[in-house]
Amino acid sequence: MVKILLIEDEPGIQETIQISLESEGFTILVTSTGKEGIQKVSNDISLIILDIGLPDQNGFEVLKEIRKKYQTPVIFLTARNTEIDKILGLEIGADDYIVKPFSPRELLARIRAILRRTNPSQNLEDHKLRISLDKKLVYFNGQTLNLSPYEYKTIELFFKWPGRIFTREEIMDSVWTEPEDSFDRAVDTVIKNIRARFKEMEPDFDPIETRRGQGYGLKEKI
């Protein structure tokens, strides 16, 4: 059973998140203040959704208190889509953040991605695809894909964040190890090669989503 703690003071957002996540089989605890939220954190909480703009204290301070005792994954909810919020939140120990307004589907994808990363299992699976993190191999319908290091790392990045679209710059920052190989079209080439690997095994199969002007990611439904 996955138990999620929601620390959010807006009733409408509380209700939307609770209904959405409970329909997916999660157990949800809801609090409206930072103080109550800190008190409800325990070892059986799998993930915390934490609003930055709480009535009694901001979410950054709440997270600092939580991190004194627990390393539970945390997703920030914020109304401010600013770089400083993102950096500060991640530097003090947040795992991800999502900007209001957001869709329940997007939040669900972020939650599942974090639970995958924090799961002690070394295998990530999604229907036809399976990744072995310890062996650094990708399997498609039980067969090993022949991938270059950059192709493997790109798939691994996408697999950990299903439904999320990465810009070319984000992919290069996460995947590329040799600066001389880092240029925009190198990412396009790797994506093209990944697609070719899958088409060799199943011509109509394409797990990669492309958004013009934005970037690439793994389709939520494969």
Side-chain angles (χ1 to χ4, degrees):
M1 177 182 67
V2 175
K3 186 179 294 185
I4 294 175
L5 173 62
L6 172 61
I7 309 175
E8 164 64 59
D9 66 309
E10 295 184 39
I13 296 178
Q14 284 183 356
E15 183 179 8
T16 297
I17 292 176
Q18 186 167 8
I19 291 173
S20 173
L21 298 186
E22 285 181 345
S23 69
E24 296 293 328
F26 298 111
T27 298
I28 311 299
L29 300 180
V30 180
T31 65
S32 299
T33 67
K35 182 179 179 179
E36 292 174 352
I38 292 169
Q39 292 173 346
K40 286 189 175 295
V41 180
S42 62
N43 287 323
D44 64 343
I45 299 294
S46 301
L47 183 140
I48 299 167
I49 302 171
L50 174 58
D51 185 25
I52 290 179
L54 294 168
D56 58 335
Q57 57 188 134
N58 70 56
F60 298 130
E61 296 301 321
V62 174
L63 179 56
K64 288 179 182 178
E65 288 298 314
I66 291 172
R67 284 290 175 259
K68 290 179 181 179
K69 188 175 181 180
Y70 298 98
Q71 295 303 312
T72 310
V74 171
I75 297 177
F76 268 138
L77 301 181
T78 176
R80 298 174 291 178
N81 188 16
T82 62
E83 188 68 18
I84 190 169
D85 280 352
K86 176 182 178 181
I87 293 173
L88 180 57
L90 298 180
E91 282 182 349
I92 64 175
D95 295 83
D96 200 357
Y97 80 107
I98 189 167
V99 179
K100 301 176 183 178
F102 56 87
S103 70
R105 181 180 177 186
E106 180 183 5
L107 177 60
L108 182 61
R110 302 288 185 90
I111 290 171
R112 285 176 170 163
I114 289 175
L115 293 175
R116 280 181 170 181
R117 295 201 309 274
T118 56
N119 191 305
S121 169
Q122 286 296 295
N123 290 316
L124 302 176
E125 298 188 25
D126 197 337
H127 304 294
K128 297 182 177 184
L129 285 177
R130 181 171 68 87
I131 294 181
S132 174
L133 299 180
D134 53 348
K135 295 180 180 179
K136 298 189 180 303
L137 292 174
V138 177
Y139 302 92
F140 178 63
N141 285 335
Q143 299 182 55
T144 304
L145 281 177
N146 183 22
L147 300 170
S148 72
Y150 286 153
E151 291 164 8
Y152 167 79
K153 290 177 182 178
T154 301
I155 292 179
E156 181 183 307
L157 175 67
F158 290 173
F159 218 99
K160 289 180 177 179
W161 300 86
R164 180 168 177 174
I165 298 298
F166 293 86
T167 65
R168 292 183 178 89
E169 290 78 12
E170 288 173 332
I171 296 171
M172 284 190 289
D173 289 344
S174 299
V175 171
W176 261 251
T177 56
E178 300 296 333
E180 61 270 20
D181 295 335
S182 301
F183 55 94
D184 282 0
R185 292 305 167 192
V187 175
D188 295 340
T189 299
V190 164
I191 296 297
K192 179 180 178 181
N193 291 342
I194 290 173
R195 284 186 162 127
R197 303 283 187 264
F198 286 112
K199 288 184 180 299
E200 289 172 0
M201 304 183 77
E202 187 173 313
D204 295 328
F205 184 74
D206 181 8
I208 307 298
E209 180 175 355
T210 300
R211 291 190 190 171
R212 186 178 297 275
Q214 296 183 44
Y216 303 100
L218 185 70
K219 295 175 181 176
E220 287 190 64
K221 299 295 183 181
I222 299 177

